[in-house]
Amino acid sequence: MKLPWERLAEHLRAELGELGGLIRLLELQRESKLSRDAVAPRGFETDLSMQAAAVRRSRTKREKILLDFLPAHGASHRMISSRVLEEVAPEARPLIQALSEEVERLNEHLHRLVRRLPAATQRKLHHIMKSSRQAPGFSAAKQRTGQAVSANGS
């Protein structure tokens, strides 16, 4: 039985969109501060919370696909490894790998942005997103060795 790659790709794309939206909000906030506008855009905290929750929801949907399929195949729902890719139809492997790598890249960018936020905002975002730590990623270098990239990129 092969991994339902169409659904996985759909949810990876959705997660990418939500991550992009969250990154956009954080970059808008940074631009606002750089332009010496001392006041954050109206409703920023609410928008940030809503977007972080949207990221969490999209990640949870993607993880559910992996959870439903992978435990029986000895893999984790927070990793996309060469073992997982073996369960994807050969014609879809490049797509799933590319989407996973892009999720990983955006998560790394997001974490760099979050580290620059005030501690209270960092805690709030962590709390909102904690039910689903970090999106799985798949490193091309680790693919060759058959190692997985864990949920936090290690």
Side-chain angles (χ1 to χ4, degrees):
M1 178 178 158
K2 292 291 185 190
L3 183 65
W5 68 267
E6 296 94 347
R7 288 183 42 227
L8 181 58
E10 174 187 331
H11 290 300
L12 282 165
R13 285 183 185 114
E15 189 171 351
L16 283 170
E18 299 300 351
L19 280 167
L22 185 55
I23 288 168
R24 184 181 136 282
L25 283 173
L26 292 171
E27 288 175 344
L28 286 173
Q29 181 198 35
R30 187 181 67 193
E31 288 173 14
S32 174
K33 287 183 178 184
L34 291 175
S35 70
R36 302 194 189 277
D37 181 4
V39 179
R42 187 172 298 255
F44 172 75
E45 289 292 325
T46 301
D47 292 345
L48 190 62
S49 295
M50 290 174 58
Q51 190 63 35
V55 169
R56 185 193 68 229
R57 283 189 305 273
S58 66
R59 184 170 297 148
T60 300
K61 288 177 183 178
R62 188 249 316 127
E63 286 179 345
K64 176 146 179 28
I65 292 170
L66 295 174
L67 271 172
D68 291 346
F69 181 81
L70 297 177
H73 293 83
S76 166
H77 72 288
R78 294 201 176 168
M79 320 181 156
I80 293 184
S81 65
S82 58
R83 171 71 182 103
V84 173
L85 282 178
E86 290 171 9
E87 300 301 329
V88 173
E91 66 275 10
R93 287 178 191 156
L95 173 65
I96 297 301
Q97 182 176 345
L99 289 170
S100 297
E101 288 173 352
E102 188 64 10
V103 165
E104 181 179 325
R105 188 186 70 76
L106 285 183
N107 269 305
E108 289 169 4
H109 183 63
L110 175 63
H111 285 288
R112 283 191 301 274
L113 290 173
V114 168
R115 282 193 295 265
R116 296 179 192 151
L117 295 173
T121 306
Q122 286 183 34
R123 284 190 300 273
K124 185 175 186 177
L125 281 174
H126 175 73
H127 176 72
I128 293 168
M129 295 179 72
K130 76 179 178 181
S131 68
S132 183
R133 302 286 297 178
Q134 170 99 6
F138 188 89
S139 164
K142 292 188 179 186
Q143 174 191 9
R144 288 185 291 277
T145 63
Q147 296 173 341
V149 176
S150 73
N152 61 9
S154 55

